[in-house]
Amino acid sequence: MSPSPSSPRRRVLVVGIDGVRLDLLRAVPTPHLDAVADAGFLGRIEIDEATPTMSGPCWTTIATGVGVAKHGVYGNHFGGNRLDVFPDFATRLAQEDGRKTFVAGGWEPLFLARQGGPLFAAPGRLSYIAPRADTSEDWDACDDQVTDDAVRVLATDDPEVSFVYLGAVDETGHLLGCGSAYLRAIERADERLGRLLTAVRSRPVYARESWTVIAVTDHGHRDEGGHGGRTPQERSAWVACCGPDIPARPPSRPLRFEDVAAQVYASLGRAADSHWTLDGSPFSTPASAPLTPAPAGV
């Protein structure tokens, strides 16, 4: 059913922050992520036994709403995938519904036809910015540029669904382990999330819109850096979500990566076609508090 002209226009922002350990997330100030959680929830995702604790399979499950047995991505090379059958939410909504979708980030196989990609095959709008080198400093600069572009699009254009990928935390973990530099990278990612939320609130039509915000990570890290194994630190991921239909606490059932895409469709009022065979379920239950800015000066 189409919304009436007076109904708020539904919009969704998904922010993917790569490689953030749940236990260490709680060790640093993250006021903007806290604002999302306070307006909805933050909950743990335990990566299932079938899914390698690697970015490729985890982001593919998040974006498609189906597990590895269906989408066929088992590593950071995406070759052999079945994304033509199980597309990402930005591509599906653009191609099947003609909706305006936007994705941004700097990791090649998510956005380009490299390493067996792209995961996001045909969004309405793409902003790809490559880091100059695989260093924590260059990934930090890349994430700043990605955020700059996304801020412009969110503030001045009208994407119904956006996905913004931030990769500096993960790269810092790989190169420097999960020490002080890693913790600072988490804080920097939260600052970028805050800029994206400010851009959303700055929209001239924001008062007539209904926004769902989802922030999610794909895996953790070992103390010395790195992932791909089955330790609790590597298998513990998380998702934070707020919006008009989002519960004020995590659902009582276990949360799964597959739930993210299911919630994207639900937040748009888009019924999932049974032929999509999604493996996830929306978070949605009775309404929670609206998103509010972080406290001034934080």
Side-chain angles (χ1 to χ4, degrees), residues 117-172:
L119 167 56
F120 291 93
R125 182 169 181 172
L126 166 66
S127 175
Y128 172 73
I129 299 172
R132 292 188 300 177
D134 282 330
T135 68
S136 57
E137 295 82 6
D138 285 314
W139 266 103
D140 189 65
C142 172
D143 281 0
D144 266 344
Q145 292 178 279
V146 167
T147 303
D148 287 343
D149 267 14
V151 163
R152 283 192 290 271
V153 172
L154 289 168
T156 63
D157 201 352
D158 192 27
E160 294 180 68
V161 175
S162 302
F163 175 83
V164 180
Y165 171 84
L166 303 175
V169 178
D170 184 60
E171 193 65 26
T172 301

Side-chain angles (χ1 to χ4, degrees), residues 64-242:
T64 61
V66 301
V68 293
K70 290 181 181 176
H71 63 60
V73 176
Y74 286 89
N76 286 344
H77 192 288
F78 287 56
N81 70 68
R82 300 185 68 217
L83 295 174
D84 57 334
V85 181
F86 302 103
D88 66 278
F89 57 75
T91 294
R92 189 188 292 280
L93 288 165
Q95 293 188 333
E96 295 191 16
D97 293 1
R99 296 179 187 257
K100 296 179 72 174
T101 64
F102 168 65
V103 301
W107 188 38
E108 286 185 351
L110 296 187
F111 309 108
L112 302 182
R114 298 178 187 174
Q115 300 178 55
L119 167 56
F120 291 93
R125 182 169 181 172
L126 166 66
S127 175
Y128 172 73
I129 299 172
R132 292 188 300 177
D134 282 330
T135 68
S136 57
E137 295 82 6
D138 285 314
W139 266 103
D140 189 65
C142 172
D143 281 0
D144 266 344
Q145 292 178 279
V146 167
T147 303
D148 287 343
D149 267 14
V151 163
R152 283 192 290 271
V153 172
L154 289 168
T156 63
D157 201 352
D158 192 27
E160 294 180 68
V161 175
S162 302
F163 175 83
V164 180
Y165 171 84
L166 303 175
V169 178
D170 184 60
E171 193 65 26
T172 301
H174 279 290
L175 295 172
L176 302 174
C178 294
S180 59
Y182 180 81
L183 297 179
R184 177 55 185 155
I186 295 174
E187 293 183 67
R188 292 274 289 155
D190 184 71
E191 292 164 7
R192 294 178 181 113
L193 172 62
R195 292 177 57 202
L196 297 171
L197 297 179
T198 297
V200 166
R201 297 188 194 100
S202 75
R203 293 169 56 79
V205 294
Y206 177 67
R208 301 191 297 277
E209 295 177 328
S210 178
W211 280 83
T212 297
V213 176
I214 303 171
V216 61
T217 199
D218 54 338
H219 54 71
H221 271 271
R222 298 184 296 274
D223 287 343
E224 68 275 19
H227 52 88
R230 309 306 298 177
T231 66
Q233 292 82 4
E234 293 165 276
R235 292 182 63 182
S236 294
W238 52 266
V239 61
C241 185
C242 68

Side-chain angles (χ1 to χ4, degrees), residues 28-95:
V28 296
T30 54
H32 305 291
L33 184 61
D34 292 346
V36 174
D38 290 346
F41 70 84
L42 187 151
R44 179 176 180 270
I45 295 174
E46 180 171 352
I47 300 173
D48 63 62
E49 292 290 344
T51 304
T53 58
M54 300 174 70
S55 294
C58 292
W59 287 122
T60 305
T61 299
I62 289 166
T64 61
V66 301
V68 293
K70 290 181 181 176
H71 63 60
V73 176
Y74 286 89
N76 286 344
H77 192 288
F78 287 56
N81 70 68
R82 300 185 68 217
L83 295 174
D84 57 334
V85 181
F86 302 103
D88 66 278
F89 57 75
T91 294
R92 189 188 292 280
L93 288 165
Q95 293 188 333

